Amino acid sequence: MTPTLKKLPEDIHREKMMELIKKYVLNEYVTLSLSGPLRVDENVGSEKSIIEGTLVGHYEDHKKIIPLRGEGIGVLHAFHNGIKTRLENRYSFAEDLEMEELRVDTIHPKTRGAISQDKVAVTILVRVGSRKRIAFRHQSSSVLASLLGGFLQACEYFINTERAIKKVVFLMENYKKRGRPGLLEECLTDLTYLVEYSYYKPEQSI
């Protein structure tokens, strides 16, 4: 049995947000992954890093292949800049997404006498602009994979949050025209919670 990390308040917020996101996005939920080899050049002296790879957006009926390249101070900063460059014209969060805290934990299996199966769990706490912060975790045998995987989770989450917000706004306009005050109020309650953590600009394509 693999030990689990203690939940943070930010974990609970994310879980509640995921329920709302899936309520509105349904089967149009977008997932992100890295495909193929990932190239990382890191200058230990200057701490400057370059990362190159392929980002894949998985949609309901198709995939979108996105070449990724970023430079920054450290691998995560370079990865962040690469993601920002590719997504900022489509998603509001990309420009203002900031990492506030990074935690790395080693998780030891409880089984004695077994070959070491230690996992690295990375917890990333991020926020968009002045919104509330939220936590993302990724666990694997690789520090780099866990680090990038956690950040990809954050990006995937905010992409789908903006898609959910757009759907809520559309439904609110529809319910208002149809004179459905009960459904309109329900949507307003959900929208109020969604925008505590993210936002979107109506003119952007989601």
Side-chain angles (χ1 to χ4, degrees):
M1 180 179 178
T2 302
T4 56
L5 298 176
K6 183 179 179 180
K7 279 190 177 182
L8 301 171
E10 292 86 354
D11 287 312
I12 298 171
H13 295 321
R14 186 193 67 250
E15 289 170 1
K16 183 175 180 180
M17 283 283 285
M18 285 302 301
E19 292 177 6
L20 278 181
I21 291 168
K22 290 182 178 179
K23 174 181 176 180
Y24 290 102
V25 175
L26 300 175
N27 59 346
E28 296 178 359
Y29 192 90
V30 176
T31 59
L32 298 176
S33 67
L34 291 171
S35 177
L38 186 70
R39 177 178 168 235
V40 178
D41 290 333
E42 191 165 17
N43 187 315
V44 178
S46 66
E47 298 185 354
K48 290 183 178 179
S49 298
I50 299 174
I51 190 166
E52 294 180 341
T54 303
L55 180 66
V56 183
H58 302 268
Y59 295 81
E60 180 188 9
D61 56 357
H62 69 285
K63 295 180 182 179
K64 186 170 185 179
I65 307 300
I66 307 169
L68 186 69
R69 186 183 190 280
E71 300 182 21
I73 305 301
V75 175
L76 185 57
H77 186 224
F79 190 62
H80 181 187
N81 285 339
I83 292 283
K84 176 180 175 180
T85 300
R86 302 304 299 181
L87 300 181
E88 64 182 349
N89 290 330
R90 296 195 65 202
Y91 297 100
S92 304
F93 79 88
E95 184 176 1
D96 298 323
L97 180 64
E98 296 293 339
M99 185 182 72
E100 292 207 335
E101 192 173 337
L102 173 66
R103 303 176 189 176
V104 180
D105 296 281
T106 302
I107 300 179
H108 305 282
K110 292 184 178 180
T111 305
R112 295 183 177 181
I115 298 175
S116 177
Q117 296 178 340
D118 290 358
K119 299 289 185 181
V120 177
V122 169
T123 303
I124 299 176
L125 284 90
V126 302
R127 78 166 77 234
V128 173
S130 60
R131 299 309 198 257
K132 292 181 179 180
R133 72 179 192 172
I134 198 160
F136 299 90
R137 284 200 177 105
H138 192 276
Q139 182 177 314
S140 73
S141 300
S142 163
V143 175
L144 181 61
S146 294
L147 186 67
L148 302 186
F151 195 79
L152 266 188
Q153 281 184 24
C155 294
E156 181 180 301
Y157 167 87
F158 285 111
I159 284 173
N160 287 289
T161 299
E162 291 190 26
R163 292 166 69 87
I165 289 172
K166 184 177 180 180
K167 184 66 176 292
V168 174
V169 171
F170 171 80
L171 289 173
M172 287 177 65
E173 292 173 351
N174 181 268
Y175 294 147
K176 186 176 181 180
K177 291 177 182 177
R178 292 166 55 195
R180 303 292 297 274
L183 292 173
L184 182 61
E185 184 177 352
E186 179 184 338
C187 283
L188 181 58
T189 300
D190 290 345
L191 181 63
T192 300
Y193 194 78
L194 285 168
V195 297
E196 286 184 357
Y197 297 89
S198 190
Y199 56 82
Y200 89 108
K201 299 173 183 177
E203 67 273 12
Q204 287 186 290
S205 172
I206 295 180

